[in-house]
Amino acid sequence: MSTVEGHSGKLIFGKLGGKEVMAMQGRFHYYEGYAMREVTFPVRVMRELGIRTLFVSNAGGGTNAEFEIGDLMIITDHINLFPEHPLRGKNIDYGLRFPDMSEAYDRELIRMADAIAAEAGIRVRHGVYLGTQGPTFETPAEYRMFHRMGADAVGMSTVPEVIVARHCGIRVFGVSVITDLGVDGKIIEVSHEEVQKAADEAQPKMTHIMREMIKRL
Ligand code: HPA
């Protein structure tokens, strides 16, 4: 289903933390050439299957000077800089024409994640994720601009799926794994391989938090 290397592309159904879950192994990215309605189609499938909470994760470049590679950033809000809006066009009556985005990332889920992380001694950051189309990583000037705009991390996914999930009433919890730094003085060449390596290393911490959250839901 998904078509980027390192994103293997299956829908998996099973139990996690004693709850029935559906997982996407990989996703469609806008930079691959898919239309927004294709990028967000799996979320609408989830909605049809009755999913109530969506857990999203991604790799992001940290623009906050306090962040370190391998940090987990709980997404508290986002900035949508994709060139096409996923809800553009005739409104599908899953939700309102003009959906509210005042709490795109559920505050109660964020509190739960903070508590679980503290219990487990896992350091988590909080921040704003800015979604942009890619596929280039940012120039130093772009990282600086995004930081000034309010971003703590920047990446090429997630925002479209979250918008569509909120449109159809699904609660969202999101985490960015900081895989590289877009911070003045710390910018070095980035590659997909390094991003994947940093993400793989941080994954057990994220899995612990999400599994515990699912248990407690
Ligand atoms: N920029 C955009 N997307 C990314 C980055 C980045 O620095 N790191 C991982 N995904």
Side-chain angles (χ1 to χ4, degrees), residues 59-62 132 136-138 143 154-156 177 179-182 190 195:
T132 179
T136 44
F137 292 112
E138 285 64 35
Y143 281 125
V154 50
M156 308 174 196
V177 178
T179 57
D180 53 278
L181 295 173
V190 199
V195 165

Side-chain angles (χ1 to χ4, degrees), residues 1 27 49 75-76 97 103 114 139:
M1 182 170 135
R27 52 150 65 97
L49 293 174
I75 305 175
T76 55
R97 170 74 291 187
E103 193 182 330
D114 281 340
T139 63

Side-chain angles (χ1 to χ4, degrees), residues 189-203:
E189 201 179 316
V190 199
S191 69
H192 183 53
E193 289 68 32
E194 283 166 303
V195 165
Q196 264 190 300
K197 184 166 170 287
D200 288 346
E201 284 169 10
Q203 201 219 318

Side-chain angles (χ1 to χ4, degrees), residues 58-64 67 73 128-130 137-138 143 146 151-156 176-183 190 195:
N58 58 51
T63 54
N64 182 323
F67 287 3
M73 184 190 89
V128 173
Y129 176 84
L130 183 148
F137 292 112
E138 285 64 35
Y143 281 125
F146 289 154
D152 296 292
V154 50
M156 308 174 196
S176 273
V177 178
I178 304 303
T179 57
D180 53 278
L181 295 173
V183 171
V190 199
V195 165

Side-chain angles (χ1 to χ4, degrees), residues 5-43:
E5 242 182 276
H7 297 85
S8 84
K10 293 180 184 138
L11 282 182
I12 297 166
F13 295 83
K15 279 205 160 186
L16 187 67
K19 304 266 163 43
E20 286 196 55
V21 298
M22 169 184 169
M24 292 168 63
Q25 204 173 27
R27 52 150 65 97
F28 300 114
H29 298 84
Y30 188 69
Y31 61 73
E32 296 177 84
Y34 295 109
M36 273 297 176
R37 73 170 65 82
E38 295 173 305
V39 171
T40 56
F41 182 69
V43 177

Side-chain angles (χ1 to χ4, degrees), residues 97-168:
R97 170 74 291 187
F98 302 108
D100 172 66
M101 285 285 145
S102 63
E103 193 182 330
Y105 299 82
D106 191 274
R107 282 197 272 272
E108 191 190 324
L109 295 177
I110 293 172
R111 274 196 294 276
M112 194 191 283
D114 281 340
I116 291 164
E119 285 163 24
I122 297 169
R123 183 177 74 180
V124 289
R125 314 289 203 159
H126 280 195
V128 173
Y129 176 84
L130 183 148
T132 179
Q133 68 172 316
T136 44
F137 292 112
E138 285 64 35
T139 63
E142 287 166 343
Y143 281 125
R144 205 177 304 127
M145 171 181 75
F146 289 154
H147 183 57
R148 285 186 183 152
M149 289 170 84
D152 296 292
V154 50
M156 308 174 196
S157 67
T158 306
V159 168
E161 292 100 316
V162 170
I163 290 172
V164 167
R166 294 305 302 134
H167 179 242
C168 62

